[in-house]
Amino acid sequence: MKLREYEAKNVIKEAGIPVPAGFLIRSAEELPAHLGALGDAFVLKAQVDVGGRGKAGGVLMADKATGVEVARELFNREIKGLPVKEVLAEQRLAVQHEYYLSIMVDRSSKQPLILFTEAGGVEIEVTAREHPELIRKIVANPLLRDLPPFMLRELVGTAPKEIGPVINRLYRIFIEKDALLAEINPLVTTLNGVFAADAKIIIDDNALARQGITVNRDLSEREREAGKHGFSYVELDGSIGVIGNGAGLTMATLDLIEFYGGKAANFLDVGGGAESERVKNAVRLVASVPSVKVIVVNLLGGITKCDEVARGIIAADIRQKVIVRLAGTNEAEGRKLLAAKGYEMLDTMDLVVKKAVEVTA
Amino acid sequence: MIYGDKNTGILVQGATGKQGEFHIGLMNTYARQVGGRGVVAGVTPGKGGQQVHGVPVYNTVKDAMKEHDIGAAVIFVPAGAAADAIMEEAHAGIETIVCITEHIPVQDTMKAIAYAHMEGASVIGPNCPGLLSPGEVKMGIMPAGLFQRGNVGVISRSGTLTYEVVDELTRAGIGQSTVVGIGGDPVIGQTFVDVLERFENDPQTKAVVLIGEVGGNLEEEGARSTDLPIVSYIAGVSAPPDKRMGHAGAIVEGGEGDARSKIARLKKHGVPVAARVSEIPEMIRELFRCRC
C-alpha cells in the first residue's frame, strides 16, 4: 500500500531525515494558524491516493495573502475523480541542487537496490534512458542492518557528504517498515542543509498487519470485501465476469477473453480447495457487479472437487448465465449436477471463453 | 533429473498442520507408485515423537538429520514462520528447499534467501507449488495424475496454469522431464536462469516451456541465459497497470514488466511465444521438427 505524502514524510522525519516545515489541514479554515511557520511562499498539495497528482491540478502555489483562498479552491477540486479531504501545506525551500535517491526490491539480485544520482530535477526514467552512467547503483545484502561506509561513499560520489547518512537512514526505513519502495525525489540541498522535498513509500501488502495498518487503501470496497473471503479480486471494466483458481490460470482466462475479442469485468482467484460455500460467495460477488452479463468459471486442480464447485454455483442462484469449465476430482458428478440444473459445462478454457464472448457480443 | 530423484529423502516442515499432513500423504502415495523414498521425516517444533502417515516427526531439522538421509525439504508452515524454516533447513545442510507458503513479507524472503545462499542451499519459491519429475519424485503439491514422463522441462511462476500446460502437453503425448513452479512472489529463490542452467546439464531435457507473467523481467533474463530450445507463454496481456493480479509479484509498476513488452523482447530473442496455452504442444512439436 502506498503511503500518502504526509505519512511518508512523517516516517522520514522520525528517522532523522530533515523535511520542509509542513502541516496537514482538513479545511481551508485550518490554514491561518500555520501561516507564521510556513513563511511568505508555500505550496498546497492535495493528499489523494492517485499518481500524477501535480498534472491533475492537485498542487498549488500560494502565499500569505492568497493562502486561504487558494486552499479553498483546492478543497473544492476533484483530482482524477477523488475529492480532496486532506491538504499538506508546506514551506517552499530555496533549493540549490536536486538529487534523486531510491531504494527498491530488486527481483534479479533478490536484494535491496539503492539508486542515487546527482542529476536530479529530471524524470529518473529520462536519465536512465539517456544518461544511465549518471545513476549510481548498489545492491546490498539484506542481512546488513546498516549500509557499510564504503557503499555510502560510492553512492554519494562528489555530492555533499551529509547525504551519506540520509541514504543509510532511508535504507533502515526500507528494512524496518517492510517497504517495497522508499524514495526521496527530489532530495535537495539548501543553505540550511539537506531536505527530503518529496517522499514515496510503498509498504508490502503482506506486511500491513505487522506494520499496524488495518485497511489497505489501495483497494476498492469490493476488492476489500473479496479479500475478507480470501479471494484475490481486481475490478475491470468489461461485461464478462471471471472466476478462476490460481493467479496464473485466472490471468490466462482474462487474456483469452481479450484474444477472442471480449472484455472481462474482473479478475477473481478463489484460491485452492474451493468448497461450495466459497464458490457460492465468489459467484454472488461477481454477479453483484451491474455490468456483468455472463460469468465464466474456470477451475482446474487436483484438490478442487468438482461436485463441491457445482453445488456452490447452483446455490449462488444468480440471474446471469454461468458457463463452466471444471477439471479435477469427481468431474462426472459435478457435470451431472450442473446439467440437471441447465448449466453449460464445456471441456476446455478455449471453449468456455469463446462461448462467453459470443453471449456478450 | 534436477533437484532430486527417487533416492532423495524429503523432510516436511510443518508436518502436523492440515496442509503438511495432507500433502505428506499425497507425496508418499506418489513415492510408492514410482518406488521412491518420498517423505522420510517431518518437523514441527514441540510435536517431536508424533507420526504423520507413518512418518516420524521431530522438533528440529537437526534432530531429523541425525536419523535420516535428507536431500530436500518442503515447507508448509504459516507465513510468519516460513523465513525461519528456510534458514533452519539451510543451516542444517539441506540442499534443496521448496517453500510452498504464500504471503511471506518480502523483507523476510530476501533475508532468508540471502542466508540460504550463504549456506549453499537452493530455495524454490516461496508461494510455489513445488516440483515434480514424473516417475521419479514429487516435492510439493502438484496433482501427479496429469503428468507423464518425457523430455520437455517446464518452468513456471504459476500453479494451476502450470497444471493446465502440463495437461495440454500430456494429452498431446508430450511428456515432461521436470516441472518446476518457481513461485509468484516478487522475490523468489530459484529464478528462470537458475532452473534453465539445471536443465542444460540434464541429459533428459531437450526443450523447455517457460511460463511467465506480468512483473519484472526474469523471463527475458532466463531466455537470454540459455541455448536450450524454448517455447514461452506470458500471462497478463490484459492486466491493467499498478494492479496486483493475485500473485504479489504480478504487477506492472512504473511502466515496467508488462506482458506485451515482455513478449516482444522474448520474440526478438528468437523465442516463440504462444498467444494461448492450447497452442503450446503444437509449438513444441514444431521446435522438435526444426531441430531434427
Side-chain angles (χ1 to χ4, degrees), chain A residues 279-315:
Chain A
V279 173
K280 185 185 86 180
N281 288 334
V283 173
R284 285 202 175 151
L285 183 86
V286 173
S288 72
V289 179
S291 59
V292 169
K293 288 189 191 139
V294 57
I295 296 175
V296 168
V297 176
N298 183 18
L299 300 181
L300 170 89
I303 55 174
T304 304
K305 294 193 183 78
C306 297
D307 52 332
E308 282 276 322
V309 173
R311 282 190 194 95
I313 293 169
I314 293 163

Side-chain angles (χ1 to χ4, degrees), chain A residues 1 104-108 110-112 125 141-143 174-180 202-207 210 218-220 223 232-236 245-256 258-260 267 269 275 298 300-303 325 327 348-350 354, chain B residues 22-23 26 103-108 110-111 113-115 118 143 146 157-158 160-161 163-164 167-168 185-191 194 213-218 221 233-240 243-251 253-254 260 275-279:
Chain A
M1 184 188 85
M104 63 188 80
V105 172
D106 181 43
R107 296 180 186 224
S108 296
K110 308 156 198 174
Q111 297 183 332
E125 291 79 9
N141 185 318
L143 295 168
F174 177 78
I175 302 271
E176 286 163 15
K177 297 291 175 188
D178 276 303
L180 298 177
I202 298 174
I203 308 285
D204 183 355
D205 287 352
N206 285 335
R210 77 177 179 195
D218 287 354
L219 304 179
S220 73
E223 285 169 354
S232 298
Y233 180 83
V234 176
E235 271 173 332
L236 304 166
N245 63 337
L249 184 67
T250 312
M251 253 189 282
T253 310
L254 300 188
D255 294 346
L256 206 53
E258 190 173 284
F259 180 88
Y260 285 116
F267 165 102
D269 169 10
E275 322 77 7
N298 183 18
L300 170 89
I303 55 174
R325 183 276 177 118
T348 68
M349 60 189 269
D350 280 75
K354 237 194 236 171
Chain B
F22 181 70
H23 286 290
L26 289 181
H103 300 309
I104 305 174
V106 175
Q107 296 286 352
D108 292 4
M110 283 198 291
K111 287 192 184 87
I113 287 172
Y115 181 78
M118 286 159 66
L146 302 175
R157 283 170 66 189
S158 169
T160 43
L161 181 58
Y163 315 155
E164 180 82 34
D167 189 39
E168 292 273 359
D185 276 0
V187 172
I188 49 176
Q190 297 284 287
T191 62
D194 305 305
E213 58 191 39
V214 287
N217 56 8
L218 297 177
E221 266 182 30
Y233 174 82
I234 304 292
V237 172
S238 58
K243 278 286 182 187
R244 241 166 257 286
M245 305 303 280
H247 283 154
I251 180 165
E253 283 164 312
R260 281 177 216 282
R276 288 175 295 162
V277 171
S278 53
E279 294 169 4

Side-chain angles (χ1 to χ4, degrees), chain B residues 40-289:
Chain B
V40 296
V43 168
T44 301
K47 301 275 172 80
Q50 295 187 5
Q51 292 213 333
V52 174
H53 297 294
V55 173
V57 177
Y58 299 86
N59 285 322
T60 70
V61 175
K62 274 190 187 144
D63 287 351
M65 297 283 279
K66 276 182 213 144
E67 304 295 324
H68 306 273
D69 171 25
I70 292 164
V74 184
I75 295 173
F76 290 98
V77 305
D84 185 50
I86 291 172
M87 292 192 280
E88 183 184 358
E89 283 153 7
H91 188 248
I94 295 179
E95 281 168 34
T96 299
I97 300 168
V98 176
C99 185
I100 308 296
T101 308
E102 67 173 322
H103 300 309
I104 305 174
V106 175
Q107 296 286 352
D108 292 4
T109 304
M110 283 198 291
K111 287 192 184 87
I113 287 172
Y115 181 78
H117 182 73
M118 286 159 66
E119 295 281 2
S122 300
V123 178
I124 298 170
N127 191 10
C128 79
L131 65 98
L132 196 149
S133 299
E136 289 286 338
V137 68
K138 163 174 153 152
M139 304 179 199
I141 62 170
M142 291 186 180
L146 302 175
F147 293 70
Q148 181 187 314
R149 191 179 176 115
N151 52 21
V152 172
V154 179
I155 316 172
S156 172
R157 283 170 66 189
S158 169
T160 43
L161 181 58
T162 315
Y163 315 155
E164 180 82 34
V165 171
V166 169
D167 189 39
E168 292 273 359
L169 290 172
T170 299
R171 280 171 198 271
I174 301 169
Q176 306 92 41
S177 55
T178 299
V179 179
V180 187
I182 57 176
D185 276 0
V187 172
I188 49 176
Q190 297 284 287
T191 62
F192 290 106
V193 172
D194 305 305
V195 184
L196 281 162
E197 197 184 319
R198 303 255 183 165
F199 275 139
E200 279 195 21
N201 297 317
D202 173 36
Q204 192 189 341
T205 304
K206 307 289 185 216
V208 175
V209 180
L210 190 155
I211 307 161
E213 58 191 39
V214 287
N217 56 8
L218 297 177
E219 291 84 354
E220 299 95 302
E221 266 182 30
R224 277 197 301 270
S225 74
T226 186
D227 293 327
L228 277 169
I230 295 177
V231 167
S232 184
Y233 174 82
I234 304 292
V237 172
S238 58
D242 296 318
K243 278 286 182 187
R244 241 166 257 286
M245 305 303 280
H247 283 154
I251 180 165
V252 182
E253 283 164 312
E256 283 211 350
D258 68 290
R260 281 177 216 282
S261 57
K262 221 179 251 271
I263 290 167
R265 281 195 292 269
L266 286 169
K267 283 185 172 165
K268 204 173 157 197
H269 192 70
V271 174
V273 183
R276 288 175 295 162
V277 171
S278 53
E279 294 169 4
I280 294 173
E282 186 48 38
M283 290 170 81
I284 287 282
R285 279 206 200 93
E286 186 64 28
L287 213 60
F288 283 139
R289 271 199 290 274

Side-chain angles (χ1 to χ4, degrees), chain A residues 103-255:
Chain A
I103 304 177
M104 63 188 80
V105 172
D106 181 43
R107 296 180 186 224
S108 296
S109 68
K110 308 156 198 174
Q111 297 183 332
L113 168 68
I114 302 129
L115 300 180
F116 178 75
T117 176
E118 296 184 43
V122 220
E123 275 186 53
I124 189 68
E125 291 79 9
V126 176
T127 312
R129 204 166 46 235
E130 289 168 10
H131 293 286
E133 75 284 358
L134 296 179
I135 301 176
R136 299 187 197 114
K137 296 180 185 183
I138 279 201
V139 288
N141 185 318
L143 295 168
L144 292 169
R145 261 178 71 81
D146 285 291
L147 295 174
F150 84 88
M151 283 191 187
L152 298 176
R153 285 197 301 274
E154 212 175 301
L155 285 162
V156 172
T158 55
K161 280 192 179 57
E162 59 256 55
I163 289 176
V166 171
I167 298 177
N168 193 50
R169 284 177 185 138
L170 192 67
Y171 174 76
R172 292 287 290 266
I173 290 171
F174 177 78
I175 302 271
E176 286 163 15
K177 297 291 175 188
D178 276 303
L180 298 177
L181 174 79
E183 184 179 274
I184 299 178
N185 181 30
L187 177 70
V188 303
T189 45
T190 70
L191 283 176
N192 300 318
V194 179
F195 287 88
D198 199 358
K200 184 175 173 185
I201 295 176
I202 298 174
I203 308 285
D204 183 355
D205 287 352
N206 285 335
L208 294 183
R210 77 177 179 195
Q211 290 298 333
I213 298 170
T214 47
V215 178
N216 186 347
R217 289 190 306 248
D218 287 354
L219 304 179
S220 73
E221 212 166 299
R222 199 176 271 115
E223 285 169 354
R224 273 201 287 270
E225 179 64 26
K228 283 184 202 149
H229 291 295
F231 307 145
S232 298
Y233 180 83
V234 176
E235 271 173 332
L236 304 166
D237 53 10
S239 58
I240 302 175
V242 176
I243 295 168
N245 63 337
L249 184 67
T250 312
M251 253 189 282
T253 310
L254 300 188
D255 294 346

